[in-house]
Amino acid sequence: MSAAELGAAVRSGQTSAEEAAGAYLDRIAEVDGQVNAFLHVDRETTLEQARAVDARLAAGEDPGPLAGVPVAHKDVFTTADMPTTAASRILEGWRPPYDATVTARLRGAGMVVLGKTNMDEFAMGSSTENSAYGVTRNPWDLGRIPGGSSGGSSAAVAAFEAPLATGTDTGGSIRQPAAVCGLVGAKPTYGGSSRYGVIAFASSLDTPGPMARTVLDAALMHEAFSGHDPRDSTSVDAPVPPVVEAARRADVEGLRVGVVKELGGEGYQPGVLRRFTEAVELLESLGAKVVEVSCPSFDAALAAYYLIAPSECSSNLARFDAMRYGLRVGDDGTRSAEEVMSLTRAEGFGPEVKRRIILGTYALSSGYYDAYYGSAQQVRTLIKRDFDAAFENVDVLVSPTTPTTAFPLGERTGDPMAMYLADLCTIPANLAGTPALSVPCGLADEDNLPVGLQIMAPALADDRTYRVAAAVEAALTDRRGGPLLAGSAFAV
Amino acid sequence: MSAITRDEVAHLARLSRLALHEDELDQLAAQLDEIISAVAKVQEVAKGDIPPTSHALPLTNVYRPDETHQGLTPDQALAGAPAVEDQRFRVPQILGEEE
């Protein structure tokens, strides 16, 4: 049952929020020992929330189409009634005094929080192997990565432990895990979803978004948490794009689709490219006009990102100083605050976080600032210009979401540059702030693992990505005779 | 591109307030060297008079009316503190003997 169907069943009285939450909690108890998608689950708190939603509905209140639908939150969103750790030892057991705007809005929409999901520490990574609390496994193949950094969220939804989950996307952390787990994942326009209460990684890039099993489910959640937030100074004060309407419309007749020449070819898994080519042909058969588009600066996007994101992270993570919250190490009365700070941060942060802090400090240091950080910001301008030029001729751009399917756990942990390549296709949209979505487009022949199609649109035209994704989803479901996830080992 | 030395990493670690172990310094020096060589590509692309973009959105300062409103209570603000004394954050010594 999709989230949309479950919401309809709760509103019609066919089932209750409490029953729905209970069923998902049972499923978590049954399979999470194998998947390790969750960092925190508290059955009683969840059921209490569900009963409160049932009471709201019984009192005649109508919170909307997702009332009574459970949701899992990536552990980077602050939750007032549950711990929030960003999968880091430095925040172990921390209970925030407030809810993130996304969390609060989804509660307002009647969604019931199932728990907090695993992630790469402070959202840094592409495999969820950087969590301080153990790796998460891909429900399609437990020996492989679920993607990252929102890998706990993707695994939870793919293993039917949650109908919907939140993620954050800084360089592809929603779209890449969605692609490798066979889900729909959307990165809204930067500023379209509030960052208030989202533990910051790279502030000019971080974007909260939905992860779902269907395009319509993703659109319903997108609409429920989006919109201007006066608590976030980078929040866009513009109407929320009509994503739900677009997901229901699911038609691409006459739409101009650009295939990005630079995102495909050498270094890409053949099975990924085959499914991508078929998806493009499918769009053409549905009435879209397909053309090849060149975005030459995209070749430098990965390099620019791995200078900008670590630079912002080195600054953002300075707040973890052992003074006001979190871990404190070595405070024995003889050491200074500075020594305690250094010891705490060394013990509290994992290797990838340390690597990025050092890299960011280097890129921002005197003598190197112009060569690295300054040049990266210029590349960002070129990437924006590439998008602007492309969108003069086409309505959306498409590419594979990832160069390969889910790789085996441990395969890239010793080689940071190989790991960073997982974000090759997703990063340009983060640097330009444009919306992008990944929708499943089949299984690769070599390994029978999911492949994602990435759809990118101009800023604030998020609805276009949903419209195209829904058309692809409908056509492929018809062709297969059922949803893609029906083929997963954890299908129910 | 000049190689990043172990001493440079140690200096960066001090600036970042990270007490790294000897083996971490060795490992990071090698990895940073590889990463920096790979990302140095931005210098080849960013040639000429290109204005930098620091943010996807044009940012303006946001103001709100200067009105009092309910914030966190002292107990809420101190709830996650590693050490508390007399309703305040207790921190290790900040100034040394000579200061």
Side-chain angles (χ1 to χ4, degrees):
Chain A
M1 193 185 270
S2 70
E5 289 163 345
L6 180 58
V10 172
R11 269 146 57 102
S12 69
Q14 214 179 317
T15 187
S16 66
E18 187 176 1
E19 273 179 291
Y24 274 104
L25 288 165
D26 290 347
R27 174 71 177 169
I28 293 169
E30 186 191 332
V31 303
D32 205 53
Q34 296 174 71
V35 180
N36 196 30
F38 282 88
L39 290 179
H40 178 84
V41 177
D42 173 357
R43 193 177 180 94
E44 215 23 67
T45 304
T46 297
L47 291 176
E48 234 170 74
Q49 286 178 46
R51 286 191 283 267
V53 172
D54 284 330
R56 281 170 71 184
L57 290 167
E61 205 184 313
D62 183 8
L66 293 177
V69 176
V71 61
H73 285 308
K74 183 176 182 177
D75 203 29
V76 76
F77 290 91
T78 55
T79 41
D81 54 354
M82 292 179 183
T84 300
T85 68
S88 181
R89 197 62 74 195
I90 211 160
L91 279 176
E92 192 166 2
W94 181 59
R95 282 183 180 260
Y98 63 96
D99 265 344
T101 295
V102 166
T103 318
R105 285 187 180 168
L106 294 181
R107 282 193 213 271
M111 295 195 81
V112 176
V113 184
L114 285 169
K116 305 300 286 292
T117 59
N118 203 6
M119 55 185 282
D120 283 298
E121 184 179 6
F122 287 107
M124 294 176 204
S126 309
S127 66
T128 313
E129 292 169 294
N130 297 320
S131 165
Y133 306 104
V135 303
T136 297
R137 295 169 182 276
N138 189 320
W140 288 82
D141 176 346
L142 295 174
R144 291 178 186 260
I145 59 123
S149 64
S150 312
S153 288
S154 63
V157 177
F160 293 82
E161 295 177 77
L164 281 167
T166 51
T168 54
D169 195 312
T170 304
S173 283
I174 287 175
R175 290 161 285 158
Q176 182 257 4
V180 301
C181 284
L183 305 177
V184 178
K187 180 197 97 65
T189 297
Y190 176 83
S193 51
S194 170
R195 291 187 298 108
Y196 178 78
V198 179
I199 297 174
F201 160 19
S203 307
S204 76
L205 306 163
D206 298 344
T207 313
M211 306 185 81
R213 291 197 287 268
T214 73
V215 176
L216 178 61
D217 285 359
L220 287 168
M221 193 157 94
H222 185 134
E223 206 161 88
F225 65 56
S226 297
H228 182 242
D229 179 10
R231 289 171 149 164
D232 174 0
S233 64
T234 58
S235 166
V236 176
D237 195 359
V240 179
V243 291
V244 173
E245 191 190 313
R248 292 193 201 276
R249 185 172 167 195
D251 126 62
V252 293
E253 183 69 48
L255 208 73
R256 295 165 304 163
V257 175
V259 176
V260 184
K261 195 175 94 183
E262 286 75 13
L263 302 179
E266 224 171 287
Y268 286 64
Q269 191 177 320
V272 168
L273 288 179
R274 268 197 292 277
R275 291 296 88 83
F276 171 67
T277 307
E278 284 171 12
V280 172
E281 287 165 2
L282 177 71
L283 285 169
E284 212 157 21
S285 74
L286 294 172
K289 186 176 179 300
V290 177
V291 292
E292 191 180 77
V293 168
S294 177
C295 296
S297 303
F298 282 19
D299 285 339
L302 190 74
Y305 174 85
Y306 279 100
L307 287 165
I308 293 169
S311 297
E312 293 187 16
C313 112
S314 68
S315 164
N316 271 324
L317 268 56
R319 66 175 59 112
F320 298 97
D321 59 5
M323 299 299 131
R324 290 148 297 138
Y325 48 83
L327 185 74
R328 182 181 287 182
V329 171
D331 183 14
D332 59 4
T334 67
R335 292 191 174 94
S336 69
E338 194 179 315
E339 286 170 312
V340 169
M341 215 179 279
S342 295
L343 288 170
T344 303
R345 287 162 61 82
E347 192 162 318
F349 291 142
E352 182 62 29
V353 173
K354 288 178 187 171
R355 188 153 47 229
R356 295 203 196 188
I357 290 175
I358 298 282
L359 177 58
T361 306
Y362 178 79
L364 291 176
S365 59
S366 156
Y368 298 112
Y369 182 95
D370 288 337
Y372 294 116
Y373 186 71
S375 298
Q377 304 287 38
Q378 289 176 301
V379 170
R380 197 169 181 169
T381 306
L382 296 174
I383 287 167
K384 273 176 78 85
R385 287 179 184 170
D386 275 0
F387 270 115
D388 290 345
F391 288 131
E392 276 180 22
N393 300 310
V394 298
D395 299 303
V396 293
L397 291 169
V398 294
S399 77
T401 308
T402 56
T404 69
T405 54
F407 47 86
L409 287 161
E411 188 185 79
R412 302 187 189 180
T413 42
D415 185 352
M417 274 320 295
M419 185 71 87
Y420 297 169
L421 286 172
D423 306 327
L424 195 62
C425 309
T426 48
I427 280 173
N430 295 90
L431 291 172
T434 50
L437 179 151
S438 179
V439 64
C441 64
L443 302 176
D445 305 319
E446 308 87 86
D447 48 24
N448 261 333
L449 290 169
V451 176
L453 167 73
Q454 177 175 231
I455 305 151
M456 297 170 273
L460 295 173
D462 303 51
D463 49 318
R464 284 187 210 168
T465 66
Y466 282 92
R467 191 176 145 194
V468 176
V472 169
E473 178 185 64
L476 287 179
T477 306
D478 276 353
R479 194 179 279 183
R480 272 191 302 263
L484 182 83
L485 269 173
S488 136
F490 279 73
V492 288
Chain B
M1 195 51 54
S2 64
I4 296 176
T5 64
R6 193 180 169 288
D7 284 349
E8 274 179 291
V9 177
H11 176 61
L12 293 167
R14 274 193 300 280
L15 292 175
S16 314
R17 306 279 185 268
L18 280 170
L20 297 183
H21 299 297
E22 299 297 311
D23 53 339
E24 284 179 303
L25 293 175
D26 291 332
Q27 201 185 15
L28 273 171
Q31 288 177 341
L32 280 185
D33 207 42
E34 194 196 335
I35 297 169
I36 288 291
S37 307
V39 298
K41 181 181 189 169
V42 292
Q43 295 166 53
E44 297 158 29
V45 181
K47 280 183 181 149
D49 189 19
I50 306 161
T53 299
S54 63
H55 212 269
L57 297 172
L59 290 180
T60 49
N61 225 343
V62 178
Y63 298 97
R64 64 169 170 78
D66 188 16
E67 291 165 356
T68 55
H69 65 278
Q70 183 64 48
L72 296 178
T73 64
D75 284 346
Q76 284 174 323
L78 292 166
V84 175
E85 203 174 300
D86 297 333
Q87 278 224 324
R88 291 179 177 87
F89 295 100
R90 189 181 66 73
V91 301
Q93 58 179 359
I94 290 170
L95 301 176
E97 301 265 320
E98 70 280 10
E99 289 157 295

